Amino acid sequence: MTETSTNSPETTPAPPGPLREFWSYFRENRGAVVGMYIFAAFFIVALIAPLLAPYTPHEQFRDHLLQPPFWQEGGSTKFLLGTDPLGRDMLSRLLFGARFSFFIGVIVVSIASFFGVIIGVIAGFAPKWADTLIMRLMDIILSFPSLLLALVLVAILGPSLINAMIAIALVLQPHFVRLTRAAVLSERTKDYVTAGRVAGAGRLRTMFVTVLPNCLAPIIVQAALSFSSAILDAAALGFLGMGAQPPTPEWGTMLAESREFILRAWWVVTMPGLCILIAVLAINLMGDGLRDALDPKLKRS
Amino acid sequence: MSLLEIKNLTVEFRTANGPFRAVDSVDMTVEAGDLRAIVGESGSGKSVSMLAMMGLLPWTANITADKMEFDGQDLLKMSARDRRKIIGKDVSMIFQEPMSSLNPCYTVGRQIKEVLRQHTPLTRSERQARAVELMDQVGIPDPAKRLSAFPHQLSGGMSQRVMIAMALACKPKLLIADEPTTALDVTIQAQILDLLIDLQKTEGMALILITHDMGVVAETVDRVSVQYAGQRVEEQEVNALFTDPHHPYTAALLAALPERATGKHLPTIAGVVPGQFDRPKGCLFSPRCAFADDLCHSTQPGKASADLGEALCHHPLKNGQPVSEEPA
Amino acid sequence: MSAPILTAQNLCRHFEVKTGLFGGSHTVRALDGASFDLVPGRTLAVVGESGCGKSTLANLVTMIDTPTSGSFAIDGKDIQPGDELRDKKLRAKVQIVFQNPYGSLNPRQTIGKILMEPLLLNRPDIPADEREKRAREMVELVGLRPEHFNRYPHMFSGGQRQRIAVARALMLEPEILVLDEPVSALDLSIQSQVLNLLTDLQDKFNLAYLFISHDLSVVRHFADDVIVMYLGKPVEQGSKEQVFNAPRHPYTKALMSATPMADPANRVERIKLEGELPSPLNVPVGCAFNPRCWKATDQCRAERPPMSGGDHGFACFHPEGPEQ
């Protein structure tokens, strides 16, 4: 019949691309969008903290110990959010604290996801005994209360921010392993993987070039959610004196330093606590939105 | 009075990218005891129209119709609760995937008896007896024992028989079978089709078979309506449809059947079914039609006369040639 | 007829399946003794219902899996059971097209990348620009448009995806193409387009096709030779005319009778096969078809019938047809 005379279906506009589709799903979740904006603001603050902060975080004003925020009696606009027991400006310390929290989140998630994903892909492709070995090892790590395990690790490695981050990464990493392995197992039986093997793809190429990119959606969601738990765990370790050491302006450490003034000066405890709360909440909201947008199982047709 | 009468049924789905019209002004009249098929390719809206009639579509669907009556009752005015009383009792449906249509957590006996409990006043022991009778009726060997089987213990063919037993539980007046054999092997397909036809005769119910398989249509039903891109393009008796299709789409589809091929090359229909983003302005089939002219590309055709199968075409075919009858 | 490109002798693939918690194991004979030749320019169709071993056969021929026993030779090169199939040149000679066009293309790669990947892996001697040139030529050859080159698979319909899958299979200039139900996921109007494309490509490149299908109408149109399989064993094989016009095995006859024909004026009484397909885990003793066969005798229930009949082979003690 006339194969050439009709061509309109071939040249019609393509359906919306993956990015636009992602955005249209993400946008539907109002909380996720708000979370994303807060996260973006958080990122910018962390980036340009030295420009925003009126003082350096370590500068002590001996005449202004425990001065309340400006709107309270005794406060002054010189120190917008008041000062801490050593006379350091709270606002400056909080702004710099954002840097640390962001830094912790990025490093911890990078370490945890990098090793977690690699181990997960290997487990997904490994023979049964190796797979079992890896997964049981991960189960053992998961069976410890995560903060306790991190505490033990820090106790062994010595208290410092770097060691705390390593410990948290180790605790978070089994989640990535499990998730990646599950995604790999469901992808590797698909025909395109077999087609790749028939075309001559080796094992490593199949694992990391063919299969891995198709498993990224759940991993991205997990990374976002891990970001917030990393911040939370680091703050907890800092609060227990096992994370960042004073005078580092890390939010958890700030909390710990000023816990004895909680009854006299509410702001020294409340402000860092609020910062942690808002950051974690924003990231979790955003993570939920990512899950809605990226997880095909939750998509409405 | 007809058993089922649908006039001008349109179903639109709200999607992230604007409305999508899945069913477009479809009419259908089914008499009691009819044996008919709706045939069409994927995306032709053949299942959606029946689901809309049964009220089984999700909330994103926007259903409009001039008339939708079942057995004298107006389905459009009916509350969802009243409609549920009819669905499952007087109208039943079986689906393509028998394995996923049964709840894997319960025995098949429990699932059959649940239907009986919902729709009949039978007592416990009567329900048991009726369930055994139904299982026997659909040709399941050793029915009393099989009642306590779980769905995963049954093969695809057996599961489909159980689905049919459930659908028959309340002696429906109309059974809708949505691709009932597509997931099954050929020899099992033959068994299930024979069973459906036997039951249709003995129970005197009307049967609507939704399928994409022209062979199944030819061997099973009496009357066929052909759907394309949400529209009913033609409706005829089965013999007439296969010997003298009136819509160019039906004609092209039949010509593309491998068993009708004469040479090494099959006749094809160029292009693809229009999707959400490329609906043509005129006749929906015009971009792929061998007979299309300017009129077809610009104006939507109306229905032709009944002896031309009510073909939705400006130039319906007669013996393979277009006749220039103006649509009635 | 030219010399065969692939010769298979008595190919078998058995799987060990553990039954129960304590060690008891069971052998599943997914494929049990298939012998056939693939000839350039001809199509051998493998027909059967689920569990008949057609997909196992496809996996063996494409060297994704290795046979338990039996051997096959490609282009005179013998492949024995247990051979490490590392010979890339040999592998490149056999390519495959899958049934489901939605799962067979990597959703994260553009069409261009998908088509160039086989060359990148197998022919590192070809420079990048030559690679792209060949891929673009292939896009046109299978009836797609040049602008499709940089699009992703999800932007295409099922029929177009199947064209892309065919194009990918042809990039390495194979001599054998395994077609695993290539049109059964497609609509009728698209099915004929893809079948025509495959016919044209076979003529153009003199390809040998191993065409796996359950649809007898398509096979009758498309194939030259046919093997009918039942529960892992070939029950009848011969040329298309022999098998379709004068089937000898009762199963072949029943299968053909069960296949609906689009001809309402000629409704024939179907041969009704009783019972279900047995599970491949539990194949009946003797002839696998005996519990459903209307001609079965004690001999059928005790012994497995051998393939007999030479050119038009059948495995049955009581064949249909002229000698009856």
Side-chain angles (χ1 to χ4, degrees):
Chain A
M1 243 182 248
T2 51
E3 189 123 25
T4 45
S5 66
T6 54
N7 56 8
S8 51
E10 310 279 328
T11 48
T12 45
L19 253 179
R20 253 190 63 198
E21 196 190 316
F22 164 77
W23 179 241
S24 80
Y25 276 108
F26 189 78
R27 209 179 37 192
E28 267 180 41
N29 188 335
R30 199 91 36 92
V33 178
V34 172
M36 194 192 64
Y37 284 132
I38 296 177
F39 183 76
F42 176 52
F43 174 69
I44 293 168
V45 165
L47 210 62
I48 58 169
L51 300 176
L52 290 177
Y55 313 102
T56 68
H58 304 298
E59 193 177 355
Q60 301 183 0
F61 299 90
R62 289 298 161 94
D63 307 336
H64 301 278
L65 302 181
L66 281 180
Q67 191 171 325
F70 74 97
W71 63 85
Q72 247 189 337
E73 205 176 322
S76 80
T77 46
K78 200 177 161 202
F79 306 105
L80 284 177
L81 295 179
T83 57
D84 72 355
L86 295 177
R88 292 173 295 198
D89 180 38
M90 283 297 289
L91 179 62
S92 308
R93 285 181 69 76
L94 289 174
L95 289 177
F96 276 91
R99 284 196 137 181
F100 280 95
S101 290
F102 205 87
F103 175 67
I104 291 167
V106 170
I107 299 292
V108 166
V109 168
S110 310
I111 298 176
S113 58
F114 181 76
F115 289 104
V117 165
I118 289 185
I119 297 175
V121 173
I122 291 173
F125 277 91
K128 194 153 184 289
W129 64 267
D131 179 30
T132 314
L133 189 75
I134 294 174
M135 290 324 287
R136 290 302 83 80
L137 205 67
M138 294 305 138
D139 286 347
I140 291 171
I141 300 179
L142 278 175
S143 63
F144 283 102
S146 63
L147 201 60
L148 194 69
L149 183 63
L151 264 176
V152 171
L153 285 169
V154 174
I156 297 168
L157 298 169
S160 80
L161 187 58
I162 299 294
N163 289 346
M165 289 196 297
I166 294 173
I168 297 165
L170 201 74
V171 170
L172 289 179
Q173 170 255 25
H175 296 281
F176 285 94
V177 176
R178 283 188 148 191
L179 207 66
T180 312
R181 175 176 169 272
V184 166
L185 286 184
S186 77
E187 283 297 317
R188 65 176 283 198
T189 52
K190 293 202 176 150
D191 283 344
Y192 72 87
V193 182
T194 318
R197 279 176 60 202
V198 175
R203 178 158 287 213
L204 275 180
R205 190 182 170 90
T206 309
M207 282 161 78
F208 292 103
V209 180
T210 311
V211 172
L212 183 57
N214 289 297
C215 304
L216 281 182
I219 298 173
I220 291 172
V221 176
Q222 178 66 30
L225 297 175
S226 299
F227 201 98
S228 67
S229 27
I231 293 178
L232 211 56
D233 282 358
L237 283 179
F239 183 76
L240 294 171
M242 303 295 255
Q245 296 301 303
T248 317
E250 196 268 324
W251 292 338
T253 317
M254 283 164 74
L255 273 176
E257 269 180 85
S258 44
R259 108 190 112 194
E260 54 200 282
F261 304 99
I262 189 163
L263 292 176
R264 271 198 290 147
W266 60 268
W267 59 92
V268 287
V269 198
T270 314
M271 293 297 170
L274 264 182
C275 287
I276 296 174
L277 176 85
I278 292 172
V280 169
L281 187 66
I283 296 169
N284 281 348
L285 283 174
M286 191 178 72
D288 271 353
L290 279 179
R291 191 201 314 261
D292 285 356
L294 290 175
D295 193 338
K297 266 177 266 161
L298 296 173
K299 269 186 192 170
R300 281 140 289 169
S301 52
Chain B
M1 183 184 63
S2 304
L3 182 66
L4 175 70
E5 197 170 359
I6 298 175
K7 281 245 164 356
N8 202 14
L9 171 72
T10 298
V11 181
E12 278 189 335
F13 287 99
R14 269 163 286 170
T15 70
N17 307 304
F20 170 63
R21 185 169 283 203
V23 177
D24 192 354
S25 328
V26 164
D27 298 347
M28 171 163 282
T29 313
V30 181
E31 307 295 333
D34 261 7
L35 175 56
R36 63 157 62 216
I38 306 177
V39 66
E41 299 178 285
S42 52
S44 62
K46 52 193 191 297
S47 305
V48 177
S49 53
M50 288 298 108
L51 290 171
M53 188 271 289
M54 296 182 74
L56 294 176
L57 288 175
W59 60 273
T60 51
N62 188 14
I63 303 165
T64 55
D66 292 348
K67 188 176 184 186
M68 193 148 73
E69 277 187 12
F70 178 77
D71 210 10
Q73 293 158 295
D74 191 347
L75 293 172
L76 288 170
K77 294 208 186 86
M78 202 173 275
S79 72
R81 232 181 115 188
D82 289 337
R83 196 190 274 218
R84 269 204 300 279
K85 278 189 195 144
I86 297 181
I87 305 305
K89 186 168 185 294
D90 290 337
V91 190
S92 288
M93 192 157 180
I94 53 176
F95 299 93
Q96 174 174 349
E97 287 290 341
M99 302 301 227
S100 54
S101 304
L102 288 166
N103 187 336
C105 295
Y106 301 112
T107 62
V108 296
R110 183 170 168 162
Q111 294 184 55
I112 294 179
K113 284 181 237 169
E114 178 66 23
V115 178
L116 292 169
R117 204 172 62 82
Q118 289 285 338
H119 293 288
T120 62
L122 298 179
T123 63
R124 219 184 141 82
S125 55
E126 282 169 338
R127 288 202 293 267
Q128 169 73 21
R130 175 83 176 123
V132 174
E133 184 191 328
L134 282 166
M135 296 279 275
D136 190 41
Q137 203 179 358
V138 296
I140 294 177
D142 204 358
K145 209 177 118 207
R146 288 295 174 95
L147 276 181
S148 56
F150 281 93
H152 70 266
Q153 294 166 323
L154 302 176
S155 67
M158 279 296 162
S159 302
Q160 197 57 290
R161 285 175 193 267
V162 172
M163 286 307 297
I164 296 172
M166 279 170 74
L168 290 179
C170 306
K171 295 190 182 289
K173 293 177 182 143
L174 172 62
L175 177 64
I176 300 168
D178 187 356
E179 305 261 9
T181 57
T182 308
L184 304 177
D185 279 312
V186 187
T187 52
I188 309 298
Q189 160 170 303
Q191 293 174 357
I192 297 288
L193 287 177
D194 283 344
L195 173 68
L196 279 174
I197 307 239
D198 283 351
L199 290 171
Q200 187 263 339
K201 297 244 156 62
T202 53
E203 300 278 306
M205 62 186 176
L207 176 66
I208 301 180
L209 184 71
I210 301 174
T211 182
H212 68 279
D213 189 326
M214 282 292 182
V216 170
V217 171
E219 296 217 336
T220 324
V221 302
D222 300 332
R223 197 170 172 79
V224 189
S225 46
V226 183
Q227 280 195 203
Y228 178 76
Q231 295 181 327
R232 190 194 69 175
V233 295
E234 168 162 13
E235 181 172 329
Q236 282 206 71
E237 296 299 325
V238 65
N239 283 321
L241 184 93
F242 278 82
T243 46
D244 187 14
H246 294 313
H247 195 282
Y249 171 66
T250 321
L253 204 57
L254 290 173
L257 284 169
E259 59 240 54
R260 294 199 169 190
T262 43
K264 214 165 163 91
H265 271 93
L266 294 166
T268 64
I269 311 178
V272 292
V273 181
Q276 187 178 359
F277 304 102
D278 53 1
R279 255 176 125 73
K281 204 165 131 256
C283 169
L284 290 183
F285 187 58
S286 60
R288 307 176 73 188
C289 183
F291 304 101
D293 58 14
D294 287 347
L295 180 66
C296 302
H297 289 299
S298 59
T299 333
Q300 292 219 8
K303 270 192 227 160
S305 59
D307 55 306
L308 284 173
E310 301 189 344
L312 210 59
C313 183
H314 289 295
H315 313 292
L317 305 180
K318 196 153 201 177
N319 300 321
Q321 288 307 313
V323 290
S324 50
E325 181 196 307
E326 274 309 300
Chain C
M1 204 156 81
S2 46
I5 172 86
L6 181 145
T7 325
Q9 281 301 325
N10 204 18
L11 276 185
C12 296
R13 181 70 177 101
H14 300 171
F15 296 97
E16 291 290 316
V17 176
K18 284 234 170 79
T19 49
L21 204 55
F22 301 101
S25 77
H26 205 94
T27 309
V28 178
R29 295 164 191 271
L31 182 70
D32 207 8
S35 307
F36 55 88
D37 292 339
L38 292 180
V39 180
R42 282 179 78 85
T43 303
L44 172 68
V46 181
V47 186
E49 298 178 280
S50 52
C52 77
K54 12 176 221 196
S55 297
T56 310
L57 184 63
N59 285 350
L60 291 185
V61 172
T62 44
M63 291 172 268
I64 296 167
D65 202 354
T66 50
T68 314
S69 66
S71 66
F72 65 107
I74 297 174
D75 226 0
K77 246 188 152 164
D78 235 359
I79 294 153
Q80 295 293 335
D83 275 3
E84 281 286 308
L85 296 164
R86 294 243 175 267
D87 191 341
K88 274 198 169 180
K89 280 215 176 96
L90 202 60
R91 290 196 127 186
K93 282 184 199 283
V94 190
Q95 293 295 311
I96 185 165
V97 177
F98 293 99
Q99 168 177 14
N100 176 5
Y102 291 88
S104 64
L105 303 176
N106 189 341
R108 301 270 162 173
Q109 286 183 321
T110 61
I111 305 314
K113 281 237 175 74
I114 289 174
L115 294 187
M116 288 188 287
E117 192 179 33
L119 283 182
L120 183 76
L121 292 168
N122 285 275
R123 306 283 298 275
D125 52 305
I126 297 177
D129 50 338
E130 167 72 13
R131 213 158 48 217
E132 184 172 335
K133 195 175 136 251
R134 288 198 191 181
R136 285 188 183 277
E137 282 168 10
M138 191 57 77
V139 164
E140 301 229 355
L141 189 68
V142 296
L144 295 171
R145 295 168 162 268
E147 69 257 27
H148 290 156
F149 193 76
N150 287 319
R151 293 205 182 155
Y152 285 89
H154 73 95
M155 300 173 175
F156 293 91
S157 65
Q160 287 172 319
R161 286 178 196 225
Q162 207 58 306
R163 286 171 191 267
I164 298 162
V166 171
R168 171 181 58 194
L170 290 179
M171 283 308 288
L172 289 174
E173 297 161 355
E175 294 174 62
I176 300 165
L177 209 53
V178 176
L179 305 164
D180 189 355
E181 307 248 11
V183 295
S184 52
L186 303 178
D187 275 322
L188 184 54
S189 70
I190 307 299
Q191 168 178 311
S192 53
Q193 295 174 7
V194 173
L195 284 177
N196 283 351
L197 172 71
L198 290 170
T199 309
D200 290 342
L201 292 171
Q202 184 169 43
D203 290 347
K204 195 169 159 106
F205 296 111
N206 202 26
L207 291 163
Y209 282 164
L210 180 66
F211 186 86
I212 292 169
S213 180
H214 68 273
D215 188 335
L216 284 183
S217 318
V218 173
V219 167
R220 187 171 211 160
H221 165 73
F222 194 72
D224 298 305
D225 304 296
V226 180
I227 300 181
V228 183
M229 308 244 304
Y230 187 73
L231 288 175
K233 298 173 190 70
V235 293
E236 179 157 2
Q237 76 189 89
S239 74
K240 171 172 73 177
E241 289 75 22
Q242 288 169 335
V243 173
F244 277 93
N245 298 343
R248 306 296 304 274
H249 198 284
Y251 176 65
T252 314
K253 205 163 180 191
L255 195 63
M256 276 161 48
S257 158
T259 304
M261 298 301 284
D263 189 3
N266 259 326
R267 285 190 192 177
V268 281
E269 197 48 40
R270 281 195 277 258
I271 298 176
K272 270 189 201 160
L273 277 188
E274 294 298 320
E276 303 278 310
L277 273 164
S279 143
L281 268 171
N282 197 4
V283 177
V285 185
C287 174
F289 188 55
N290 79 65
R292 301 174 80 193
C293 185
W294 61 96
K295 289 177 141 186
T297 58
D298 287 342
Q299 192 188 12
C300 304
R301 284 181 269 273
E303 293 174 52
R304 178 179 161 187
M307 204 58 148
S308 55
D311 197 21
H312 176 190
F314 52 89
C316 184
F317 292 123
H318 313 288
E320 299 275 320
E323 279 101 312
Q324 272 304 84

